[in-house]
Amino acid sequence: MAKSVSFFMVISLLAFAPICFCSKSNYYGYLYPQFYDWSCPQAKEIVKSVVAKAVAREARMAASLLRLHFHDCFVKGCDASLLLDSSATLISEKRSNTNRNSVRGFEVIDEIKSALEKECPQTVSCADILALAARDSTVLAGGPNWEVPLGRRDSRDASLSGSNNNIPAPNNTFNTILTKFKLKGLDLVDLVTLSGSHTIGNARCTSFRQRLYNQSGNSLPDYTLDQTYAAQLRTRCPKSGGDQNLFVMDFVSPTKFDNSYFKNLLASRGLFNSDQVLVTKNQATLALVKLYAENNEIFFEQFAKSMVKMGNISPLTGYRGEIRKNCRMMNS
């Protein structure tokens, strides 16, 4: 009976999650995939080409570029605020606790922007570059494809506090993570689905150390973590030191975008606390994890929908913001 309830719970959660490519902004215009068809018809191919070369040089870059889009959108919308360097008038989001010594791939974005500026100057936004690079990275890693709605413009400011407070953190509780998603217009289905991006990429020792040694402030490990797996992690993630030591997030297929992440969760081998709570703290999320673990196709289909939905968070369009010439700084 419990299995049947879970199945119908999942069906009801997914049934009303249609994909939509148009996002109405507060002022002037929409996001739509054909936005650059006339103004810069080679835009998508240029992005895809540079991303492909970057991922060929280093497979990990696929996860890094996908993560940039997440960490941009969750602060104050998908507006490329993350890409701005510190200046006399702003403090970069790159300096936040979540991003410092962690987010990477900025040089690839610079390379894409430089190529686009040569092809069609001051036409393609850095925010759209992030959205396209995230999609292309996912596809190159073996994941799903989707049409990316375009037409975002770039912000003229950044929010260090927003970056510190709005981006879901590895050590957050389930309720905190869900609240952060809901504040951005995303729901429980999006939470589980987008967490599946942890099927690729690496994590630093400092982001999960507490699970190995001091999960609840009582100097005891997290016993929801498979202890054989935990012992393997401890060999390179000591109680102190080694903060930047890297570990693959999906030990089964670390560079392949697939549903192994969800299978790992069911085996109590989710690396982050924010991963494992999807199976230990909520019946609806557990049901989704089981579904995705059993059916890669359903996971891929929903991931595409949730990525479009996330990419639609508070875009700047029309005359708001600007089209930066250099993604690291505002236009003079």
Side-chain angles (χ1 to χ4, degrees), residues 18 55 136 140 153 161 180 215-216 219 232 282 289 292 316:
V55 173
D136 293 340
L140 286 164
R153 288 166 64 86
S161 62
K180 289 181 178 182
Q215 173 67 1
S216 303
S219 298
Q232 294 172 350
N282 184 280
V289 168
Y292 292 158
L316 299 175

Side-chain angles (χ1 to χ4, degrees), residues 13-240:
L13 284 167
L14 295 177
F16 301 104
I19 191 165
C20 176
F21 298 126
C22 294
S23 172
K24 194 175 191 309
S25 64
N26 293 331
Y27 307 97
Y28 321 110
Y30 295 79
L31 301 183
Y32 56 96
Q34 300 79 22
F35 187 84
Y36 297 111
D37 281 6
W38 291 103
S39 60
C40 192
Q42 296 302 311
K44 296 175 187 176
E45 288 303 317
I46 289 171
V47 175
K48 184 183 297 184
S49 174
V50 176
V51 171
K53 287 188 291 184
V55 173
R57 288 193 299 265
E58 181 193 17
R60 180 188 171 201
M61 187 55 68
S64 299
L65 293 174
L66 178 57
R67 188 168 181 240
L68 283 180
H69 189 39
F70 276 75
H71 282 221
D72 180 48
C73 292
F74 265 87
V75 176
K76 55 189 189 64
C78 307
D79 61 3
S81 60
L82 171 60
L83 302 180
L84 289 169
D85 287 341
S86 292
S87 68
T89 57
L90 65 82
I91 302 174
S92 175
E93 292 170 18
K94 298 172 185 177
R95 295 174 60 179
S96 72
N97 296 330
T98 305
N99 293 332
R100 191 172 58 250
N101 299 320
S102 178
V103 288
R104 58 196 297 276
F106 299 110
E107 295 80 7
V108 179
I109 302 300
D110 292 341
E111 187 178 348
I112 294 170
K113 184 60 175 173
S114 177
L116 286 169
E117 285 300 302
K118 290 177 182 176
E119 177 71 18
C120 33
Q122 220 166 337
T123 301
V124 181
S125 69
C126 301
D128 279 344
I129 291 172
L130 286 176
L132 287 167
R135 188 274 310 275
D136 293 340
S137 295
T138 301
V139 173
L140 286 164
N145 197 355
W146 63 91
E147 282 197 281
V148 179
L150 300 166
R152 302 168 189 80
R153 288 166 64 86
D154 301 322
S155 67
R156 294 191 179 101
D157 61 359
S159 175
L160 181 65
S161 62
S163 186
N164 277 322
N165 298 321
N166 298 352
I167 298 171
N171 302 333
N172 283 161
T173 65
F174 174 81
N175 287 334
T176 297
I177 298 165
L178 183 58
T179 296
K180 289 181 178 182
F181 268 73
K182 287 183 174 179
L183 287 172
K184 296 302 175 184
L186 303 174
D187 58 25
L188 184 143
V189 173
D190 302 312
L191 165 57
V192 177
T193 308
L194 294 175
S195 295
S197 63
H198 288 173
T199 185
I200 56 175
N202 295 354
R204 297 176 299 154
C205 165
T206 187
S207 64
F208 61 86
R209 174 184 281 122
Q210 92 292 338
R211 297 193 71 199
L212 304 179
Y213 304 103
N214 190 28
Q215 173 67 1
S216 303
N218 55 6
S219 298
L220 295 174
D222 181 357
Y223 289 108
T224 69
L225 181 64
D226 176 82
Q227 293 307 296
T228 301
Y229 182 44
Q232 294 172 350
L233 295 173
R234 287 191 197 98
T235 61
R236 291 189 56 246
C237 188
K239 278 188 178 181
S240 62

